[in-house]
Amino acid sequence: MKVELRNLTKVFPSRDKKSGKDVTAVNNFTFEIPDGKLVGLLGPSGCGKSTTLYMISGLQQPTSGKIFFGEEDVTELAPENRGIGLVFQNYALYPHMTVQQNILFPLQNLRGKDKMTKEAMLERAYEAAKLVQIDELMDRKPSELSGGQQQRVAIARALVKMPRVLLLDEPLSNLDARLRLQTREEIRRIQKETGITTVFVTHDQEEAMSISDVIVVMKLGVVQQTGKPQEIYDNPTNLFVAKFLGTPPINVFKGRVENERLYIGENAVLDVKGVKDGNVTAAIRPEGFVLDENGPLVCELSNVEIMGRDVSIVSRHSESLNPTIRSIIDADNRIDATAEGVRFTLKPHKVFLFDAESEERLYFEV
Ligand code: ADP
Ligand code: MG
């Protein structure tokens, strides 16, 4: 089921009538979620991810704009008639019910032509439980399950009605690191197996990158960029997106362009054909540095961290806008950890320039 958001806007009126300003939680969001794909809604806390999800679900009504499921306008449709499955961060299971009763619950509420026989319901519940691999735990109460198992029950409960669209709001946030990784792989597997169009909300860029077919990056209610995870990583449209994606984070410098050359401090570090003279912000991915004893970017060496496959070099530079610069280089490189300085040349396709004022991307020929 394709989901289309057309100029979706949500304004929350100020609670304080006198001084308060209205909050535009989502601002003119237009996007088409392709049938059967998993879309990651990514952005910092408060950027409007949950509000967008609730509007898709029908739990919140947009101030303006429209939502289509396939060709059907569902903007005015009640949540229970949209055919959605919702999973929240806090699993929200009924504590007094067993796993089986929790999963059965949405089916027992079906009325009219959708009403199911007891046998059919049990069979459906069992299928959903099997999909998330909790079919052995059907008689337990939620309190007798781990966090990861509880979240699986919540997912099974969302899947049992065979929704047209699955909506997940930070579903992994309450899990510890290992379970988060495992559950994330599970969600991806289930999504692929069922082919249900899915929207996955997260503030964690690594999570979004690893699980999504397409990512939508949001800031203050406004969509910044949409695309495949790798495309956005390789080609960020503005400084915010460049900084939001990637671990370790991108290294940001004050720079200037003179005669199509990028200067960081005194030294010309890269040819940037096509960029006008002026102040810029230069951002360099950690993997964009090449050790070079004659390299133009001269940094003060702080630390060398050997991490098996890679070496992480921590250094400093007066023009760096981050406290330290982190570069990742292949472990085959020999580096003298006791040296005072370290010099780099830069890989052009790992360097992005942004207007120092607007923070919009300035493109140069590589
Ligand atoms: P996210 O899920 O990305 O953290 P939200 O969608 O929850 O962000 O919130 C977006 C913005 O809208 C925030 O500024 C938040 O304070 C505001 N907001 C969310 N829900 C309400 C509400 N019911 N009433 C007023 N403001 C709200
Ligand atoms: Mg939220």
Side-chain angles (χ1 to χ4, degrees), residues 69-327:
F69 284 9
E71 301 306 314
E72 184 191 0
D73 182 348
V74 298
T75 317
E76 305 286 325
L77 205 61
E80 60 271 24
N81 297 328
R82 290 194 187 191
I84 47 132
L86 256 175
V87 178
F88 298 100
Q89 173 180 342
N90 56 348
Y91 332 115
L93 301 175
Y94 301 107
H96 58 285
M97 295 185 188
T98 63
V99 168
Q100 179 169 304
Q101 287 164 337
N102 264 284
I103 300 175
L104 277 173
F105 190 77
L107 299 180
Q108 287 163 337
N109 282 334
L110 294 175
R111 295 286 173 262
K113 66 173 173 46
D114 296 327
K115 202 168 159 56
M116 297 172 73
T117 65
K118 192 143 190 252
E119 292 70 40
M121 284 194 280
L122 274 171
E123 192 177 326
R124 190 78 83 67
Y126 184 74
E127 272 171 28
K130 210 166 168 186
L131 196 61
V132 300
Q133 298 171 345
I134 46 157
D135 45 314
E136 312 269 294
L137 308 173
M138 287 297 227
D139 297 327
R140 295 221 200 154
K141 293 269 176 65
S143 62
E144 297 162 340
L145 301 175
S146 72
Q149 289 166 336
Q150 289 186 50
Q151 193 54 299
R152 282 160 195 252
V153 178
I155 295 169
R157 191 178 55 183
L159 289 172
V160 76
K161 278 210 290 187
M162 300 189 172
R164 303 194 284 178
V165 181
L166 183 62
L167 304 170
L168 307 161
D169 193 355
E170 313 242 11
L172 308 179
S173 299
N174 282 4
L175 307 180
D176 67 45
R178 203 173 50 86
L179 258 179
R180 206 177 307 153
L181 205 68
Q182 192 188 336
T183 313
R184 156 177 124 189
E185 286 165 9
E186 284 288 290
I187 290 175
R188 189 54 171 154
R189 175 185 62 78
I190 293 160
Q191 195 274 329
K192 280 196 165 147
E193 270 180 40
T194 57
I196 298 176
T197 307
T198 299
V199 183
F200 183 102
V201 162
T202 177
H203 64 273
D204 181 330
Q205 59 89 24
E206 206 179 331
E207 206 167 279
M209 293 274 283
S210 62
I211 202 171
S212 310
D213 294 306
V214 179
I215 289 182
V216 177
V217 185
M218 294 180 77
K219 174 192 174 189
L220 296 172
V222 179
V223 173
Q224 305 292 302
Q225 191 169 3
T226 61
K228 290 185 181 152
Q230 192 68 41
E231 284 170 9
I232 298 185
Y233 183 82
D234 289 340
N235 214 351
T237 186
N238 59 33
L239 183 60
F240 174 83
V241 175
K243 283 162 81 170
F244 205 74
L245 262 61
T247 39
I250 200 159
N251 301 285
V252 185
F253 296 84
K254 267 193 275 184
R256 67 182 195 287
V257 172
E258 269 174 46
N259 297 323
E260 303 193 310
R261 302 181 85 188
L262 169 66
Y263 285 79
I264 292 178
E266 297 299 298
N267 299 333
V269 296
L270 193 68
D271 288 345
V272 290
K273 203 156 176 270
V275 182
K276 289 204 199 91
D277 286 4
N279 289 333
V280 296
T281 302
I284 309 170
R285 292 272 180 225
E287 67 276 21
F289 298 82
V290 181
L291 273 183
D292 177 354
E293 56 191 24
N294 299 314
L297 184 64
V298 184
C299 302
E300 188 189 320
L301 184 61
S302 300
N303 196 14
V304 178
E305 297 168 359
I306 316 272
M307 304 185 299
R309 186 163 46 99
D310 304 317
V311 175
S312 169
I313 300 175
V314 184
S315 63
R316 291 172 195 276
H317 191 286
S318 61
E319 300 306 302
S320 171
L321 293 171
N322 313 32
T324 57
I325 304 158
R326 278 199 172 265
S327 40

Side-chain angles (χ1 to χ4, degrees), residues 46 49-51 54 169-170 201:
K49 305 180 296 292
S50 295
T51 305
Y54 297 159
D169 193 355
E170 313 242 11
V201 162

